[in-house]
Amino acid sequence: MINDQPGFINLSISRGIEEDLIVVLGSWKSQEDWKNWENSEDRKKLDDPDDSEIESMESHKLEILKDEKMPKK
């Protein structure tokens, strides 16, 4: 379902050394695209853990620069 969302790039899920540690890394074209997904009816239908089961959730912005904008060495 997430694959069809506007602005979705990819999703990576990794299990940590500790059994109960799971790291989910999602990539989106924009923060607005992520927020639209986060608040969508489609996402609400998923069987995601509730807030009491999530130890922490962070959002970080990473901007990819095209070659011509990359700093020269």
Side-chain angles (χ1 to χ4, degrees):
M1 183 182 316
I2 196 171
N3 291 325
D4 298 327
Q5 299 304 312
F8 176 73
I9 298 173
N10 68 10
L11 185 70
S12 172
I13 302 172
S14 300
R15 183 172 295 279
I17 295 172
E18 300 172 25
E19 285 269 333
D20 60 348
L21 176 63
I22 297 173
V23 177
V24 179
L25 177 63
S27 299
W28 296 83
K29 283 187 175 181
S30 71
Q31 190 169 11
E32 181 181 357
D33 289 331
W34 157 248
K35 288 184 184 220
N36 288 339
W37 163 246
E38 184 178 36
N39 298 315
S40 72
E41 291 301 316
D42 286 340
R43 185 163 190 266
K44 290 175 187 173
K45 293 176 190 174
L46 297 177
D47 188 26
D48 285 345
D50 65 37
D51 290 343
S52 68
E53 298 176 282
I54 299 174
E55 186 174 312
S56 69
M57 182 180 289
E58 297 179 26
S59 177
H60 299 279
K61 180 179 179 182
L62 174 63
E63 188 172 339
I64 306 298
L65 301 175
K66 294 185 178 183
D67 287 342
E68 63 269 12
K69 293 183 181 177
M70 294 293 287
K72 304 287 186 220
K73 288 185 179 181

